[in-house]
Amino acid sequence: MYLDMRWQELAVAVALLLVLEGMLPFLNPQGVRRLLLALCDLSDQQIRFAGLTSMLVGLMLLYIINS
């Protein structure tokens, strides 16, 4: 039963992620296009740093929320 609850929570989290990520392109498609073009100009190291930063912020938020 506990395992089923975790899978349901994961599915809810993924669904919310898709909703939130879909909002920006829906509301401002030109801005998203400019952002994606700007991302093409970044180096791999800069993109990796942004990804690492995003993961660390997410982990900190999870820790704060769950403590």
Side-chain angles (χ1 to χ4, degrees), residues 4-57:
D4 291 335
M5 182 69 161
R6 290 291 184 182
W7 282 109
Q8 182 181 3
E9 289 174 357
L10 179 63
V12 168
V14 170
L16 286 172
L17 173 72
L18 292 172
V19 169
L20 291 173
E21 288 210 352
M23 287 173 70
L24 193 58
F26 178 75
L27 296 173
N28 188 5
Q30 290 290 9
V32 172
R33 183 173 285 116
R34 285 191 304 270
L35 173 66
L36 292 175
L37 288 171
L39 283 174
C40 290
D41 293 335
L42 295 178
S43 69
D44 287 350
Q45 184 178 5
Q46 290 171 313
I47 294 172
R48 282 191 178 107
F49 181 75
L52 176 63
T53 302
S54 176
M55 289 188 298
L56 292 175
V57 169

